[in-house]
Amino acid sequence: MKRTKRWLLATLIVGVGLGGLTIGKGTGHAATTDPQSFISTLKSPVTSVANKYKLYPSVMMAQAALESAWGTSTLTTTANNYFGIKGSYNGQSVTMQTAEYDSNGQLYYTDANFRKYPSAKASMTDNATLLRGGTSYNPTLYSGTWRENAATYSDAANALTNTYATAPTYGSSLISIIKTYGLNTLLDGSTSSASSSSSASSESKPAAKPEPTYATAKYYGGASGQTARLNSKYTSYRLYNHVKGTRANITKTAWKKVPAGQGVQVYLDMRGVKTTTAGNKTTWYRIRFSNSASAKKYWLYGKALTLPTVKYSKGTAKVKVNSALSGYYYNHVYNSPYLAKSMGKLKALTAKSYTADNQAIRTQDGVKTTWYRIKVGDKKYWIAANEAAASPQYDYVTYANASGTKKLSTKYKKYHLYNHVKKTHFNQQTFDWPSGVKKGTKVTVNYKGVKTTYGTTWYRFKFSGDKTNYWVDSRALA
C-alpha cells in the first residue's frame, strides 16, 4: 500500500480548481466544503471504523478533512479516496497528476494511479488497515496512533508527523481541526471500552459546551480565467479568508492592503452559496487580484462585484461543433455569474451535429457572445458560438420586400403560423390560427422568403386590425 508523502502538494494538485489533472472514469460522492455537513456525513463510517481498529475517530475525521480538502478534492469526488492512497482497490483506480521530488530534491509532476473506493467507509477501512499494519519494511511504523500507545488524540495526531506525512506541521494541523470543530467531544466519547483507559489522561474532556451556530455554504469550483470587476459599492463590503459566518476564527483584510479600486478586474475560481439558519441565501465569490493560480485568494460578497450578464432563451437547433479547435465545453456559460467548470475538450465532440435546447447571450464589458446548450448523450453542456466552435444549422432563405393582399386558401389549416420562417431561427415559435378566421379571410403581405434548398416560398403578413406579423408557407394563401 502506497500513498504520497507530500500531503500538501497532493492537496494542491487534486483540490477543486487548483491545478491540471487527468481524471479516471467513474464517479464518487458530491463535494462539499461545509465542515459541519462533512462531519455529519462521515460521522458514522469514521466512528465505526476507528473504534473497530482501536484508533481515535477524531484523528481519522481530521485526516479525512485535511487530505480531501473537506471533501472537495477531485480524488475524493471521483474515487471516494479521502487519504490520497495510491495503487488500486479490488482492481479499481483512477489516474491523476501528482507532484513528487526526484533524488536531487527537484519538484516534478507525473501521472499516478490512486485507489478508487466504492464508498467512504471503504476508504476509512483501508486507511485504518494501513495505520494498524504499517508497511512491509516497518509493520509498526504508525503504532504511535494506536489507542493503546497514544494517551490522547494529540499524541496520535503528532505520531503521524514524519511517518504518514513529511510536513513538520501535519500533526498540529490535525489538532487544530479537532479543536476548532470539537471532534474529540463529538466523536471520541462514543468509543468502545478499549479506549476508556485514556479517559483519565491529562486531556480528559470537560463538560460539553454549546456548539456555536454557523451558516452553511455550498461551494462550486470554476475554470480558470473567469473575471468580474469591483463595482462602485465594493468598499461597503469586506474581504475574508472564508465565507463570512460559516466557521470560527474568520479574518478580514483591509482594502488598502490589496490593489483595489472601482472597475478593477478580479479573477474568480469558486462560488459559494451561503445559507443562514433562518434560510436566507447569499452568493459569494473567491477572488484574487492576479491571474496567477498562486496569488492570494479572498472571499467577497457578490454584491461588491459587477458580473457579466446572461440572457437565456429556449428553442431548438442542430449545432455543428468544430472539434478541430482548441477549447472546452462547460456545465454553465463560461464567465456567467454561476461560474463555469470545464467538462471536457472540444476535440471529444465528434458527432456530426448536436441538438441545442437553450441559447444564451452573454454581455461582458459591452461585448456580446452567443452560447448554446447542447445534448451529449444523456448530459447537457454549454459551448460557445464564437470563433465557429458551435455553428447552428438553419435552412437558407433569401428575403425580398413584398406588398398587397392575399386570401387564406382552402388548405390553410394544414399549415402553422410562425414568428420566423420555419427552421431559420433558434427561438422559433408556433402559433394557432386566430379564432374567427376562415377560408377567404384577407391578409396584408409585407415580406417574402424563399428557401432555396427546397424551393418553397413563405410570406410575412398581418391580419386586419392586428399589429402582429406572422410567417406562413405560401400554400396557406391563395
Side-chain angles (χ1 to χ4, degrees):
M1 186 178 297
K2 185 179 179 183
R3 69 178 306 283
T4 177
K5 288 290 187 99
R6 303 286 180 175
W7 67 273
L8 178 57
L9 289 171
T11 300
L12 291 174
I13 295 299
V14 300
V16 172
L18 298 179
L21 49 85
T22 301
I23 300 176
K25 293 182 179 179
T27 58
H29 82 298
T32 174
T33 49
D34 169 25
Q36 299 300 338
S37 295
F38 180 91
I39 294 166
S40 176
T41 300
L42 293 184
K43 180 179 179 180
S44 177
V46 164
T47 54
S48 172
V49 172
N51 289 340
K52 178 179 179 181
Y53 286 84
K54 296 182 175 61
L55 302 168
Y56 280 92
S58 60
V59 176
M60 182 175 287
M61 181 72 80
Q63 266 201 288
L66 186 63
E67 296 282 348
S68 73
W70 292 104
T72 65
S73 76
T74 305
L75 182 58
T76 302
T77 59
T78 304
N80 278 316
N81 191 327
Y82 286 80
F83 301 96
I85 297 179
K86 291 181 178 179
S88 63
Y89 182 84
N90 293 337
Q92 299 296 306
S93 65
V94 294
T95 302
M96 292 187 179
Q97 190 180 80
T98 185
E100 304 286 355
Y101 284 98
D102 62 21
S103 58
N104 296 318
Q106 296 297 309
L107 178 69
Y108 69 96
Y109 295 92
T110 184
D111 288 342
N113 289 331
F114 289 83
R115 295 189 168 204
K116 180 181 179 182
Y117 299 101
S119 65
K121 187 173 183 179
S123 179
M124 305 301 157
T125 302
D126 206 28
N127 192 58
T129 302
L130 171 64
L131 296 182
R132 270 289 167 180
T135 64
S136 58
Y137 60 87
N138 186 356
T140 61
L141 179 63
Y142 306 115
S143 60
T145 65
W146 304 347
R147 291 195 69 123
E148 62 266 32
N149 296 333
T152 67
Y153 73 80
S154 296
D155 293 339
N158 286 324
L160 291 167
T161 302
N162 294 322
T163 54
Y164 193 93
T166 57
T169 60
Y170 190 74
S172 60
S173 296
L174 297 177
I175 293 169
S176 177
I177 292 174
I178 293 169
K179 288 183 176 179
T180 298
Y181 299 100
L183 299 182
N184 60 313
T185 300
L186 180 67
L187 305 176
D188 295 345
S190 61
T191 57
S192 65
S193 59
S195 65
S196 62
S197 60
S198 66
S199 61
S201 71
S202 60
E203 223 174 71
S204 297
K205 295 178 287 294
K209 295 180 180 179
E211 290 288 334
T213 301
Y214 298 110
T216 61
K218 189 172 183 179
Y219 298 88
Y220 305 88
S224 63
Q226 298 179 87
T227 62
R229 295 187 183 276
L230 298 179
N231 63 29
S232 60
K233 299 179 180 179
Y234 81 93
T235 55
S236 299
Y237 306 95
R238 298 290 182 268
L239 296 170
Y240 299 91
N241 63 332
H242 296 289
V243 175
K244 181 182 179 183
T246 59
R247 64 188 69 188
N249 304 319
I250 290 178
T251 59
K252 293 186 282 189
T253 297
W255 287 108
K256 64 182 179 181
K257 294 185 177 181
V258 296
Q262 183 178 342
V264 166
Q265 181 173 268
V266 295
Y267 298 85
L268 317 174
D269 68 358
M270 190 174 288
R271 175 173 64 97
V273 178
K274 171 183 169 182
T275 304
T276 66
T277 54
N280 299 317
K281 295 181 182 291
T282 52
T283 300
W284 293 67
Y285 293 91
R286 193 169 71 175
I287 72 168
R288 59 188 189 276
F289 291 89
S290 164
N291 199 23
S292 171
S294 62
K296 189 173 179 61
K297 299 175 178 66
Y298 308 91
W299 281 97
L300 180 61
Y301 186 30
K303 287 189 175 182
L305 297 170
T306 297
L307 295 152
T309 59
V310 184
K311 184 178 180 180
Y312 298 90
S313 58
K314 294 182 179 180
T316 185
K318 290 293 183 181
V319 174
K320 183 177 180 181
V321 178
N322 185 354
S323 57
L325 292 176
S326 61
Y328 301 86
Y329 54 94
Y330 301 91
N331 62 336
H332 292 292
V333 173
Y334 183 83
N335 223 146
S336 71
Y338 289 110
L339 290 192
K341 183 178 180 180
S342 171
M343 306 304 290
K345 293 185 178 181
L346 290 177
K347 66 181 182 180
L349 302 180
T350 57
K352 185 176 181 180
S353 65
Y354 296 88
T355 300
D357 68 351
N358 253 276
Q359 182 188 70
I361 307 297
R362 186 195 71 195
T363 303
Q364 183 175 15
D365 295 333
V367 178
K368 295 181 182 293
T369 54
T370 302
W371 291 72
Y372 291 98
R373 190 174 72 175
I374 62 174
K375 188 173 183 180
V376 182
D378 59 350
K379 305 291 185 181
K380 293 181 179 181
Y381 303 110
W382 285 95
I383 186 170
N386 59 308
E387 300 179 355
S391 305
Q393 307 297 294
Y394 297 123
D395 291 344
Y396 182 73
V397 182
T398 59
Y399 294 94
N401 290 322
S403 60
T405 60
K406 291 183 179 291
K407 296 180 180 180
L408 298 187
S409 70
T410 57
K411 300 180 180 179
Y412 81 93
K413 288 186 177 180
K414 292 184 177 181
Y415 303 95
H416 293 286
L417 300 174
Y418 298 93
N419 60 334
H420 298 289
V421 176
K422 186 179 180 181
K423 294 184 179 180
T424 60
H425 284 73
F426 184 80
N427 58 337
Q428 187 84 64
Q429 296 180 46
T430 306
F431 305 98
D432 294 327
W433 290 95
S435 60
V437 302
K438 59 184 179 179
K439 170 191 170 183
T441 298
K442 290 184 178 182
V443 297
T444 302
V445 173
N446 55 37
Y447 220 54
K448 177 181 178 180
V450 177
K451 286 190 174 184
T452 55
T453 302
Y454 307 101
T456 55
T457 300
W458 291 67
Y459 285 103
R460 191 179 73 179
F461 70 91
K462 294 180 180 180
F463 289 105
S464 178
D466 190 350
K467 295 181 180 180
T468 303
N469 283 306
Y470 299 99
W471 281 94
V472 73
D473 190 303
S474 64
R475 287 170 287 188
L477 303 177

